[in-house]
Amino acid sequence: MHTYHTPLDLVRERSPERPVAFARPDALAVAARWFRKNFAGDVFYAVKANPEPWVIRELAANGVNCFDVASIAEIERVSVHAPGSRMAFMHPVKSRTAIASAYFDHGVRTFALDSHHELAKIRDATGDAQDLNLIVRLAVETPGAAYALNGKFGVSAFEAPDILRAARQATSELMGVSFHVGSQCMRPSAFQAAMAQASRALVRAAVFADVVDVGGGFPSVYPGMIPPNLTEYVAAIDRGFAEMMVHETTELWCEPGRALVAESTSLLTRVELRKGDALYLNDGAYGSLFDAAHSKWPFPVKLIRGEGATDTPLRPFQFFGPTCDSIDVMPGPFWLPEDVREGDHIEIGMLGAYGVAMATRFNGFGDVETVAVRDAPMASMFGLAPQSIPSPKGETGAVIKLTRAKGKKRRRR
Ligand SMILES: *Cc1c(COP(=O)(O)O)cnc(C)c1O
């Protein structure tokens, strides 16, 4: 991977025609080390958030060498780029072939399930292996996440005890519980609440868990979505764990995706046409801007112009992507200098999670080249960025403080 000092250096050198992903390995290393130091258990990176080889390698090199995988393709990637690392197959619905290949070809021993039928599949496909770690995925009720993740997977509180007992009997190795409070979870207390629900299910089942896996959901920071400090999340999890009925040896796991990688990548796009406040870009809803289009997230942006910065006042723009589909629109608003024009490049920040990973080939677009850069991300949960990012509401040039008075927002909720 070629390294430039800053995005501007690349634009000056070769004004790229196609979108470019800017990888920030140094920022990723800081995030990985933060989780290793502050989370009181094992950190499994949820590979789907960003499966780029450099991400897997950099995480493993910085102590995050456990991986939450959901498919054989992800398992193969991790085997290649972080050989010897531990993997947990946390998708609650897997084909028998995938289970067998994970177990026999790749040494995976940890499998999630949320039904009796899936438990039977896992036992069957592994030849009734006696060394399985079985994790029962629970559906939890926790408000406060931008994306709910309990609609599709997870066993209800009513059915949980029966499956927990069956999983307990099926293995002499680890039996555990997991859940997902929802992605971009804005409330630390959601984790504690989910752990209390998990604890009640275990008590009703009258079994002990060897693993409590609190899943993902740790937030990153975006314009208009400024979460509490991550230390408040690990503190809530520590309190939740202390209140659970578990034994002394019970392990605590987590599966962060977004929080580890969101800051690590931004995307350079090019303006192909301007019509008033509409900028037609070479990337969009079918490329790396899924959340900007479908969830209308106003990601932070920066004009990158070869001849250098202008001090033109800012105004709000909306973006259109390159495909012919009329849903390929990102409403923003994105605040940029008012003289932005065809041929300008725009860097869109905070796209390391569910950004490049979501790109499709629709309409012949979607090719992204990756280069490394050394500058700071546009915003940071780990103290790496300047302490402000552009406001989404955006009085011209207005900024909102990244650090918020402690506890203030939580009281309001
Ligand atoms: C997607 C996913 C994660 C990661 O979620 P984030 O919100 O990105 O932290 C973790 N665990 C499971 C099972 C997932 O499906």
Side-chain angles (χ1 to χ4, degrees), residues 106-406:
H106 298 284
V108 175
R109 292 294 176 267
T110 304
F111 296 87
L113 60 111
D114 67 358
S115 67
H116 287 288
H117 199 105
E118 187 74 8
L119 176 56
K121 277 163 65 186
I122 294 167
R123 298 184 70 174
D124 217 36
T126 58
D128 260 320
Q130 292 305 300
D131 57 353
L132 298 173
N133 304 319
L134 298 171
I135 310 292
V136 177
R137 170 86 172 260
L138 307 174
V140 292
E141 294 296 331
T142 51
Y147 282 106
L149 279 175
N150 61 357
K152 184 170 173 185
F153 299 127
V155 58
S156 70
F158 177 72
E159 295 164 298
D162 200 34
I163 296 182
L164 287 167
R165 279 191 296 268
R168 179 74 282 174
Q169 279 159 20
T171 182
S172 47
E173 292 297 320
L174 307 180
M175 192 285 290
V177 288
S178 74
F179 51 77
H180 199 302
V181 296
S183 202
Q184 184 67 12
C185 177
M186 298 295 282
R187 291 192 211 186
S189 62
F191 283 91
Q192 208 176 337
M195 293 168 94
Q197 290 167 40
S199 190
R200 280 196 292 277
L202 288 163
V203 168
R204 253 182 283 120
V207 294
F208 275 103
D210 309 302
V211 175
V212 174
D213 176 353
V214 299
F218 299 89
S220 186
V221 53
Y222 306 92
M225 269 186 289
I226 319 264
N229 198 293
L230 285 174
T231 54
E232 296 191 32
Y233 288 80
V234 295
I237 290 165
D238 288 345
R239 283 195 300 276
F241 199 45
E243 289 164 2
M244 285 186 82
M245 277 275 287
V246 289
H247 34 223
E248 263 169 35
T249 54
T250 299
E251 298 177 20
L252 186 62
W253 297 1
C254 68
E255 307 164 355
R258 180 187 303 282
L260 274 172
V261 293
E263 305 177 12
S264 75
T265 307
S266 60
L267 185 78
L268 188 78
T269 62
R270 196 170 75 156
V271 179
E272 304 300 0
L273 185 76
R274 173 173 176 181
K275 282 185 198 165
D277 72 348
L279 300 179
Y280 290 73
L281 306 181
N282 60 355
D283 196 278
Y286 291 92
S288 301
L289 301 178
F290 185 95
D291 281 333
H294 299 284
S295 306
K296 303 184 171 28
W297 286 13
F299 288 86
V301 292
K302 221 191 254 180
L303 177 70
I304 313 279
R305 188 178 277 168
E307 63 259 39
T310 62
D311 47 12
T312 318
L314 303 182
R315 57 165 284 182
F317 288 91
Q318 56 177 326
F319 294 162
F320 287 91
T323 72
C324 302
D325 193 333
S326 49
I327 67 164
D328 194 359
V329 54
M330 285 60 64
F334 302 100
W335 286 79
L336 288 160
E338 61 186 8
D339 67 344
V340 60
R341 56 180 184 250
E342 185 208 340
D344 278 340
H345 286 87
I346 295 171
E347 186 189 0
I348 306 175
M350 310 303 285
L351 284 171
Y354 310 111
V356 177
M358 310 274 285
T360 74
R361 300 269 154 181
F362 182 44
N363 244 182
F365 301 100
D367 248 355
V368 179
E369 170 198 5
T370 302
V371 304
V373 288
R374 289 260 147 78
D375 64 345
M378 287 191 207
S380 178
M381 295 294 284
F382 307 98
L384 295 173
Q387 286 296 292
S388 61
I389 54 174
S391 159
K393 307 212 177 62
E395 310 74 57
T396 301
V399 292
I400 33 181
K401 281 289 198 193
L402 267 192
T403 45
R404 170 172 48 223
K406 259 204 169 157

Side-chain angles (χ1 to χ4, degrees), residues 40-60:
D42 294 343
V43 180
F44 288 74
Y45 169 58
V47 173
K48 76 168 186 286
N50 187 333
E52 292 296 306
W54 75 268
V55 169
I56 293 167
R57 284 195 303 266
E58 194 70 25
L59 286 173

